[in-house]
Amino acid sequence: MDDAPPPTDHVLRPHHVDLLIILVFAFKEPDCKDIPPAFLLHLYRTLLNEISEVSRPQSHNDLMKTVCSGPGADSEKSQRVITAIQAAHSDLTSADQITNFFGNLPSLFVEKTEDEPPVLMRRSIFGYFSRRCFVSFLKLSFSGVVKLQKDYQSWCHDDASAGYDPIVKDQLSNSDLLIFKTQADKKSWAKPDAYEAWEKGYATGDENVATENLRRFFEQHFHENNDSGVRQHALLNLVRMHYLRNEVTAARKFLMEAITVARTCGDKIILQHCISMLHRLPPTVPGRKPTLNALQSDLHPLEVLFDVKKLMDTQNDQPLSAAFVKIDQAIGLYDHWLDGQGKPLIDEEHWAQHAVQSVVWNTIGCNKLASIEESIVLAFTQSGTEDHNRITMFLNRAYRRARQGSYSEALAMLLEPDVWRGLTINDYTTWAQEIWHILVLRATRRGQDRLFREFLLPRRPPGDYNPRIYLHDAVCVSPDKVRDPLYEVIQMRRCDQATSAIDQLLKALWHSEFLTRFSDYRTGIILLADVSIEFHLPKRSQRILEEIMPQVDDLFYIIEVL
């Protein structure tokens, strides 16, 4: 894609005629000098908003209402201008009239004499817009002029689709509308409409619409080469969509194809994104440890942060100090992105490292530090947005409150409109799953087995679920070197056989201490004190509890364990 596409072709639309009418009466007519400054400023702002095309153009009636609602619109001089603007469309009822209107446009931007500048400078926004519309009108044939006039009148009479049909550029469809054709009028170049439809389908969860429009967007004419050179972008977007939906098989299939296409095209940046995404997927060989990303200039900082999740898995036998090393690397790489490569500042990426730190601190057992990191993220992110960091902090904080017994407070926190408003489909699923987990936690702690089996379990949202968290005698779904032995000890304790599980308890204590998971370590110490009583060591048990009590800031924690 070394050759840049030609300038975007310009097609005259009905709303362009309305804007030209406002420009004529605001700059050219003799009465424009007597327009009140406040109302004239309002006209300028209205024109700038519409000409810049940062949003969809207003209809004729909405545009007239906007013009009439400005400050100073009640004055006599402003009313004369408003009346002239509102009545102008009735003077363009034939092809001759609209031709005469465009024939007078050059007086806006053409110099009359060398000493007298034009009304609108040629390189100003208004001057460029007027000149471009005039040139586009000169290219129209008589049939094109008639069509423009009819479309404009239909548009003024509330036909929103008149004049906005897509232009198909071939010899059969538009040969009679243009009398002069430029190079841009002979071929259709890429338009963003299909990508907009892809984002809408992706946001609403419509996979068929999203995939079809993504294919349509990247199959457009971007340059003169035979190969578009952007197919790897479409594949990478598909990979991300399937990955966020936990469709690992489909994501891996498209990812391998994207890697091949990126290597063929020589796109190093997309290839780096694909390799990083490949490292996110679970290994295909059972028992193989995941691959950590090596620091490179094109590596995204969030990929380094994702390595923290791999290091937090107990099956990888890595202490959590390694996770903080990865966080430091991600912060340094992010600073390099901003300062060295001039990447734009994105709030979601800026506060991601604080969100990850809160999770790591909570796993270590430093709940107060985790709460501080959560508060930083919640304070500097906006509510009602798609920020994944914000909803994650709310979910973690609510579940921690539920673990402390404040079920109603946790549910009320998640049901606040500022929490769920603006969520994507994937984050909404996570939000619903967290509410379900809180309800299950309350039901299982209260011994409401029938409520759990007949009501909550059939309504479980899709996502990760380990039943052993709530029912210690359940089958293990995801193995954990620290918590699985603790579950065995708790289960044996209920059968008054805790002494026979002392090996499991010591194993859990060793792993939790080595992996610096002090929250689980405290749980194991409390169970060790309880087992010591069965070995007739009450003083030893008391000393163990006295040593661990300063580290426990929540009495409900001990009640839950015992």
Side-chain angles (χ1 to χ4, degrees):
M1 295 184 62
D2 296 334
D3 298 330
T8 305
D9 57 316
H10 184 258
V11 180
L12 273 176
R13 302 294 187 183
H15 73 277
H16 293 153
V17 181
D18 259 3
L19 297 178
L20 291 173
I21 290 174
I22 298 175
L23 281 172
V24 169
F25 285 100
F27 289 99
K28 183 181 177 183
E29 295 298 325
D31 294 338
C32 67
K33 298 180 180 179
D34 300 330
I35 299 177
F39 182 71
L40 187 60
L41 179 61
H42 170 68
L43 290 181
Y44 290 169
R45 289 173 174 171
T46 303
L47 289 170
L48 284 174
N49 289 334
E50 294 298 319
I51 291 175
S52 60
E53 296 184 354
V54 294
S55 60
R56 293 188 179 276
Q58 299 185 58
S59 64
H60 175 74
N61 293 332
D62 291 341
L63 184 59
M64 293 299 107
K65 290 178 182 178
T66 303
V67 171
C68 299
S69 62
D74 298 334
S75 64
E76 181 181 355
K77 296 177 181 178
S78 299
Q79 284 297 320
R80 287 203 301 265
V81 176
I82 292 174
T83 302
I85 293 175
Q86 290 178 334
H89 75 279
S90 60
D91 296 332
L92 302 177
T93 57
S94 65
D96 292 338
Q97 290 176 338
I98 200 170
T99 301
N100 293 335
F101 171 76
F102 275 92
N104 295 326
L105 279 183
S107 59
L108 285 174
F109 51 84
V110 174
E111 299 179 356
K112 297 180 181 179
T113 61
E114 296 181 357
D115 299 332
E116 184 178 359
V119 178
L120 301 175
M121 300 302 294
R122 293 171 61 88
R123 295 186 178 181
S124 67
I125 295 179
F126 295 155
Y128 176 77
F129 174 75
S130 303
R131 185 158 47 92
R132 195 177 194 189
C133 290
F134 176 72
V135 173
S136 297
F137 183 81
L138 291 179
K139 293 160 53 178
L140 293 178
S141 63
F142 181 75
S143 300
V145 174
V146 172
K147 184 178 185 303
L148 175 63
Q149 185 272 327
K150 291 182 178 179
D151 289 340
Y152 174 68
Q153 290 297 325
S154 301
W155 179 74
C156 291
H157 291 85
D158 295 334
D159 187 359
S161 61
Y164 292 93
D165 48 324
I167 304 298
V168 181
K169 297 178 182 179
D170 53 48
Q171 298 297 325
L172 298 178
S173 60
N174 68 336
S175 58
D176 58 338
L177 298 180
L178 298 176
I179 193 173
F180 297 110
K181 288 186 179 181
T182 62
Q183 190 66 23
D185 296 320
K186 297 179 181 179
K187 292 182 180 180
S188 295
W189 297 89
K191 301 292 183 182
D193 299 336
Y195 197 82
E196 179 185 4
W198 138 258
E199 290 189 331
K200 182 178 180 180
Y202 174 72
T204 57
D206 194 335
E207 181 179 350
N208 294 330
V209 172
T211 305
E212 176 63 22
N213 283 280
L214 184 66
R215 182 190 61 81
R216 285 179 50 231
F217 174 76
F218 285 105
E219 285 181 354
Q220 295 182 102
H221 187 199
F222 286 90
H223 49 76
E224 294 291 351
N225 297 333
N226 295 328
D227 187 6
S228 65
V230 293
R231 184 164 170 263
Q232 64 273 17
H233 294 266
L235 293 171
L236 182 59
N237 277 276
L238 289 176
V239 170
R240 288 173 174 168
M241 180 183 69
H242 290 292
Y243 171 77
L244 291 175
R245 294 179 177 179
N246 292 324
E247 299 171 353
V248 179
T249 304
R252 192 183 303 276
K253 173 185 175 182
F254 286 110
L255 185 58
M256 301 310 296
E257 185 178 357
I259 292 175
T260 304
V261 175
R263 284 175 175 168
T264 303
C265 298
D267 194 335
K268 297 181 179 179
I269 296 179
I270 296 299
L271 180 60
Q272 179 65 63
H273 286 309
C274 293
I275 297 298
S276 301
M277 185 62 69
L278 183 62
H279 292 167
R280 282 179 176 240
L281 299 180
T284 55
V285 179
R288 175 179 294 179
K289 295 182 179 180
T291 304
L292 300 179
N293 292 290
L295 292 182
Q296 299 180 15
S297 58
D298 294 330
L299 181 66
H300 199 283
L302 293 185
E303 299 297 339
V304 182
L305 279 180
F306 187 81
D307 288 343
V308 176
K309 181 179 179 181
K310 305 173 187 176
L311 295 173
M312 291 180 65
D313 189 354
T314 58
Q315 298 299 317
N316 296 327
D317 297 327
Q318 293 295 326
L320 291 180
S321 57
F324 284 105
V325 173
K326 278 295 179 179
I327 293 175
D328 291 338
Q329 292 179 357
I331 295 174
L333 183 59
Y334 184 72
D335 292 339
H336 172 71
W337 267 53
L338 295 180
D339 301 333
Q341 300 188 15
K343 300 292 184 180
L345 177 63
I346 302 176
D347 290 339
E348 187 173 357
E349 298 176 357
H350 183 70
W351 303 112
Q353 55 99 358
H354 291 281
V356 174
Q357 284 191 59
S358 71
V359 176
V360 179
W361 283 121
N362 185 65
T363 306
I364 288 179
C366 301
N367 295 331
K368 292 184 177 180
L369 281 175
S371 180
I372 292 174
E373 294 292 346
E374 290 174 359
S375 300
I376 292 175
V377 176
L378 297 178
F380 292 99
T381 54
Q382 295 182 352
S383 61
T385 60
E386 299 180 0
D387 195 335
H388 181 72
N389 301 320
R390 185 176 181 86
I391 184 60
T392 302
M393 296 300 96
F394 273 119
L395 296 180
N396 293 344
R397 178 169 290 186
Y399 191 72
R400 188 163 59 249
R401 296 281 176 85
R403 297 283 296 183
Q404 296 170 354
S406 302
Y407 309 111
S408 299
E409 182 182 353
L411 292 173
M413 181 187 302
L414 295 183
L415 293 178
E416 283 288 336
D418 288 342
V419 175
W420 51 260
R421 185 173 60 242
L423 293 181
T424 62
I425 291 294
N426 300 312
D427 287 340
Y428 172 78
T429 304
T430 307
W431 171 80
Q433 184 185 12
E434 199 67 29
I435 293 179
W436 184 85
H437 278 293
I438 294 175
L439 295 175
V440 170
L441 180 65
R442 183 179 63 178
T444 52
R445 280 183 174 178
R446 293 179 177 179
Q448 299 171 339
D449 296 337
R450 182 177 179 184
L451 174 64
F452 170 69
R453 293 193 310 270
E454 298 181 3
F455 184 80
L456 292 176
L457 193 58
R459 292 168 174 80
R460 181 174 70 89
D464 297 333
Y465 168 59
N466 186 5
R468 206 165 193 183
I469 297 177
Y470 310 106
L471 304 172
H472 300 315
D473 55 348
V475 179
C476 178
V477 176
S478 55
D480 192 304
K481 288 187 176 181
V482 177
R483 294 191 174 183
D484 284 345
L486 292 179
Y487 293 147
E488 295 291 340
V489 174
I490 294 174
Q491 187 176 355
M492 296 299 293
R493 180 179 173 274
R494 291 179 177 178
C495 302
D496 295 331
Q497 298 293 328
T499 54
S500 61
I502 190 65
D503 292 339
Q504 298 287 338
L505 180 56
L506 296 177
K507 183 187 300 183
L509 287 172
W510 188 89
H511 282 295
S512 60
E513 184 177 6
F514 172 74
L515 299 176
T516 62
R517 294 173 175 266
F518 296 117
S519 178
D520 297 327
Y521 178 78
R522 294 165 194 155
T523 304
I525 287 294
I526 296 173
L527 289 174
L528 180 62
D530 184 64
V531 174
S532 299
I533 297 177
E534 298 187 16
F535 280 105
H536 305 289
L537 300 172
K539 293 184 179 181
R540 174 64 176 171
S541 176
Q542 181 180 358
R543 187 166 61 253
I544 290 175
L545 288 177
E546 290 175 350
E547 291 175 354
I548 202 65
M549 278 298 295
Q551 302 181 31
V552 179
D553 55 358
D554 189 0
L555 292 178
F556 195 90
Y557 180 82
I558 299 180
I559 297 175
E560 178 187 359
V561 174
L562 298 180

